[in-house]
Amino acid sequence: MGHKVSLTLGIESSCDETGIGIYSSSEGLIAHNLFSQVKIHADYGGVVPELASRDHIQRVIPLIKSSLSDAKINLSDITGVAHTAGPGLAGALLVGSAIAKSISWSLGIPSVEVHHMEGHLLAPLLEEDCPEFPFIALLVSGGHTMLVDVKGVGDYTILGESLDDAVGEAFDKTAKILGLGYPGGPALAELAKQCKTIKYKFPRPMTDRPGLDFSFSGLKTYARNTFIKEPQNRSDIAKSFEVAAIQTLMIKCRRALEGSEYSTLVVSGGVSANLYLRDTLDEMCKKINARAFYPRQEFCTDNGAMIAFAGHYRLMSKKINSDHKIVIKPRWSLEDLSAI
Ligand code: KG4
Ligand code: ZN
C-alpha cells in the first residue's frame, strides 16, 4: 500500500447489545452489525447482567466475522481495535475488552479504550450532513442524561446531568407502570401517538430554577399516581409523560445554547430516536437560529459503528494503550477524557 489506510475494528458490549463496526480512514464506515438481546431480557422486565455477559460471548466472534466479510477484508487487514471500556456492566464490558485485546495482541496492532458516551456523542458525525465543532451535546440514553459543552473531540465539559433517573430510564419505568414491555421507550412513544391532545399537565422538573441539571424520577411517580386514579387513560398518560419529559429537555437545551456562543445542538443516545423529541428540538432551534443534528435512527441506540468511529479518532491521536492489558471502567466520567 502506498499511503496508509487505517482500518479500525470497533466492539461495543457495554449493556444488552453486541455491536461491531469497521471504520476506514479513506472510505468511512464500511461495515456494521448488531445483535440486540432484547428478547433475552424481556421476560425479566430489564437487563440481567449475567445473561448479558454470556450472550455477548456467544455473539461477538460471529459478528466480527460477518462484518469482515461484509467489508470484504480479512482480520489481518485491521490496523487498530477499539472497544467500549465503560461506563457499563462489568461482565459485559469484559467480553469486549478481552476480545479486543486478544486481537490487538495477536496481530501486533494498537488498541484503544472508548468511552461509551463519547461514542454516542460522535455518532452524528458519521452522517454526510454533519455538525462542526464547537457545539452543545444532549446525550439521552437509558443510563445518562447530560448536556455537554463540546469544543472538540475529547474536550468535554458537563454543563448539567440528571440527579436521579436518566430520561430513558424514566421512559422505561413509566412504560412498565403502564404495562408495556421492555424496553419501554419505543413502546411508550407508540402508545402516546394515539393521542392528539394533552390531557394531563405533568410537571417540568427543575425548569423553574437556574441551572442545567435534570430530575426525572418525579415524572414517573406522577405517571404512577395518575394511572392508579384513572387506569383507563393509558395512552393519555403516555402522551402527557412524553410531552413533559421532552419539553423539559427542550427548555434546558435552549438554556444551554443561549448561555453559549454556539448555534449547533447535537443530540444522541437511545432517546434521540424519539420523533416527538426531534420535532420539538428542531422547532426550538429554528426559533433561536440554531440547528440540531442527530444520528440516523439505527445509530441512536447502542451500536458498534460509533465505537469504531470514536476509536478511529483516538487511534489517530496516538494517545493509545498498546500494552494489551484488559481494561474496563464500569464508572468513567466523560470529563476524564483527554482532548485530541
Ligand atoms: O443508548 P441506548 O441504546 O442505551 C444506553 O446506553 O442506555 O438507550 C436506550 C434507551 C432506553 O431507555 C430506551 O427506552 C430509550 O433509549 N429509547 C427511547 C426510544 N427509543 C429508545 N425512548 C423514547 N422514545 C424512543 N423512541
Ligand atoms: Zn448507549
Side-chain angles (χ1 to χ4, degrees):
M1 269 188 287
H3 50 253
K4 274 212 294 214
V5 172
S6 73
L7 289 171
T8 305
L9 174 70
I11 304 168
E12 157 64 33
S13 69
S14 66
C15 191
D16 58 349
E17 249 106 34
T18 320
I20 301 296
I22 302 174
Y23 191 85
S24 153
S25 58
S26 62
E27 292 169 70
L29 186 70
I30 54 173
H32 61 97
N33 276 292
L34 185 82
F35 181 82
S36 168
Q37 302 177 356
V38 161
K39 286 206 183 82
I40 294 168
H41 303 291
D43 288 347
Y44 305 93
V47 180
V48 183
E50 180 61 18
L51 295 183
S53 317
R54 289 184 204 170
D55 198 65
H56 285 305
I57 294 173
Q58 300 294 322
R59 305 292 170 184
V60 68
I61 290 175
L63 280 174
I64 291 173
K65 284 185 174 160
S66 51
S67 301
L68 291 168
S69 134
D70 291 352
K72 299 187 175 63
I73 59 172
N74 299 310
L75 183 62
S76 56
D77 296 325
I78 296 292
T79 58
V81 192
H83 71 95
T84 304
L89 303 170
L93 292 166
L94 274 172
V95 177
S97 186
I99 188 81
K101 300 299 171 128
S102 307
I103 291 172
S104 73
W105 177 77
S106 64
L107 296 179
I109 58 175
S111 68
V112 63
E113 289 117 36
V114 171
H115 191 293
H116 181 79
M117 298 313 289
E118 178 171 69
H120 277 305
L121 195 155
L122 297 177
L125 275 72
L126 279 164
E127 304 307 315
E128 215 164 283
D129 181 18
C130 76
E132 277 173 33
F133 298 107
F135 52 74
I136 298 289
L138 173 70
L139 303 180
V140 277
S141 70
H144 295 88
T145 308
M146 277 192 255
L147 273 164
V148 191
D149 178 337
V150 180
K151 297 200 169 66
V153 177
D155 192 348
Y156 310 130
T157 308
I158 297 173
L159 302 172
E161 53 194 329
S162 181
L163 305 178
D164 41 55
D165 291 353
V167 64
E169 189 179 356
F171 266 88
D172 293 339
K173 287 179 175 171
T174 302
K176 207 171 188 173
I177 291 165
L178 299 177
L180 304 168
Y182 156 87
L188 188 143
E190 211 36 54
L191 185 62
K193 262 200 223 151
Q194 297 177 9
C195 296
K196 295 284 165 264
T197 56
I198 301 150
K199 189 175 174 78
Y200 305 104
K201 174 86 182 152
F202 278 42
R204 274 54 170 162
M206 297 183 70
T207 52
D208 57 352
R209 68 195 86 169
L212 295 166
D213 284 334
F214 302 93
S215 165
F216 287 105
S217 71
L219 274 186
K220 155 206 77 191
T221 310
Y222 207 89
R224 179 183 290 117
N225 293 340
T226 313
F227 184 57
I228 290 169
K229 272 187 256 152
E230 304 185 17
Q232 71 281 9
N233 295 339
R234 273 181 4 136
S235 56
D236 282 305
I237 296 168
K239 176 78 176 179
S240 303
F241 167 85
E242 183 182 54
V243 169
I246 302 299
Q247 294 282 331
T248 302
L249 292 173
M250 181 275 285
I251 291 166
K252 294 288 165 90
C253 285
R254 178 170 185 161
R255 197 177 283 176
L257 283 167
E258 287 178 337
S260 74
E261 260 116 57
Y262 312 160
S263 56
T264 304
L265 178 67
V266 161
V267 191
S268 192
V271 184
S272 69
N274 186 287
L275 296 178
Y276 176 69
L277 172 140
R278 292 182 177 217
D279 287 347
T280 305
L281 293 179
D282 287 343
E283 196 186 318
M284 177 274 289
C285 282
K286 217 167 151 191
K287 280 188 198 147
I288 62 167
N289 284 318
R291 192 177 156 202
F293 291 84
Y294 313 87
R296 73 188 81 158
Q297 284 285 329
E298 63 179 324
F299 294 161
C300 288
T301 43
D302 292 349
N303 64 85
M306 68 184 194
I307 303 305
F309 185 58
H312 160 77
Y313 267 107
R314 297 234 157 240
L315 285 164
M316 296 216 310
S317 81
K318 307 270 189 280
K319 283 183 200 160
I320 44 167
N321 182 347
S322 34
D323 64 6
H324 311 303
K325 254 188 230 147
I326 290 173
V327 177
I328 60 162
K329 301 174 183 173
R331 288 178 187 276
W332 186 9
S333 169
L334 200 55
E335 286 185 338
D336 290 344
L337 298 179
S338 52
I340 61 172

